[in-house]
Amino acid sequence: MGEKLSVAPARRGRVIFDTFRSAYDPRLAAWLLFRSYVLPELAGVPLAAQDAAPGTGLVSLGVFGVWRLLATNNRELARCAAVFSSPAAALEAALADQRRTAELQLSAVRGPSATKHAWVLRGGGRPVVTSARWYESAGEAVAAGRMASAVLASAEVNETVSIGTASGRRSRVLERST
């Protein structure tokens, strides 16, 4: 009777990584199209190489890497604003962004129509994190951005990478440099 009940640890959000084998990957094109509406200043910017520091734990697979923030129910909450040269570079950016979450400024963004709004987190004046979907109002977008920021601050960063194949299918692989 005097035993304490065990408490299961609270589930946390997760940061996961995707890679794209070419600039013509349809999933990358969809990512860039959404980003062009949310961040029109990046719409015409070519995909640039953004290398990570050595020793990140991930080897470079594919051509481009991105990170996404998932809720505990696997719903996508946020995306990185940049497209990186590899999953390793995306990992470094995700860890850095997570460490400075409290310093990022949140703003609402109006989309291509009056009923489409998104949010962006900026650091040092540059976009760092964006919403992953549209919201009906600016207030709803800002509330979602606040929640995503809080989830990012305590999210588990997975080193699992989703790799695109020529058929368009995706597979998950844990890659570590040895």
Side-chain angles (χ1 to χ4, degrees), residues 5-119:
L5 295 176
S6 63
V7 177
R11 293 182 61 200
R12 302 182 313 175
R14 295 179 300 132
V15 174
I16 64 169
F17 302 90
D18 289 333
T19 190
F20 306 101
R21 296 258 181 217
S22 91
Y24 303 105
D25 185 309
R27 289 191 66 214
L28 179 58
W31 180 285
L32 294 173
L33 179 62
F34 180 79
R35 186 181 79 166
S36 72
Y37 286 119
V38 176
L39 299 168
E41 68 268 27
L42 297 181
V45 176
L47 296 175
Q50 298 180 9
D51 294 321
T56 59
L58 290 176
V59 297
S60 180
L61 303 163
V63 179
F64 303 108
V66 295
W67 65 262
R68 299 184 297 141
L69 176 64
L70 303 181
T72 57
N73 65 357
N74 288 329
R75 182 175 183 187
E76 187 177 11
L77 299 176
R79 299 172 172 181
C80 60
V83 177
F84 300 92
S85 62
S86 69
L91 172 64
E92 282 296 308
L95 292 170
D97 296 340
Q98 185 180 44
R99 284 190 297 268
R100 66 185 187 137
T101 301
E103 302 164 18
L104 300 177
Q105 293 85 38
L106 174 65
S107 61
V109 176
R110 186 169 177 182
S113 70
T115 60
K116 290 190 176 187
H117 296 82
W119 56 265

Side-chain angles (χ1 to χ4, degrees), residues 84-166:
F84 300 92
S85 62
S86 69
L91 172 64
E92 282 296 308
L95 292 170
D97 296 340
Q98 185 180 44
R99 284 190 297 268
R100 66 185 187 137
T101 301
E103 302 164 18
L104 300 177
Q105 293 85 38
L106 174 65
S107 61
V109 176
R110 186 169 177 182
S113 70
T115 60
K116 290 190 176 187
H117 296 82
W119 56 265
V120 175
L121 289 172
R122 294 179 186 270
R126 71 176 185 87
V128 176
V129 184
T130 71
S131 64
R133 69 183 221 27
W134 296 114
Y135 298 89
E136 289 188 18
S137 71
E140 187 181 20
V142 168
R146 282 190 196 115
M147 190 212 352
S149 181
V151 172
L152 177 60
S154 65
E156 175 187 346
V157 179
N158 293 337
E159 292 186 14
T160 302
V161 179
S162 177
I163 302 170
T165 64

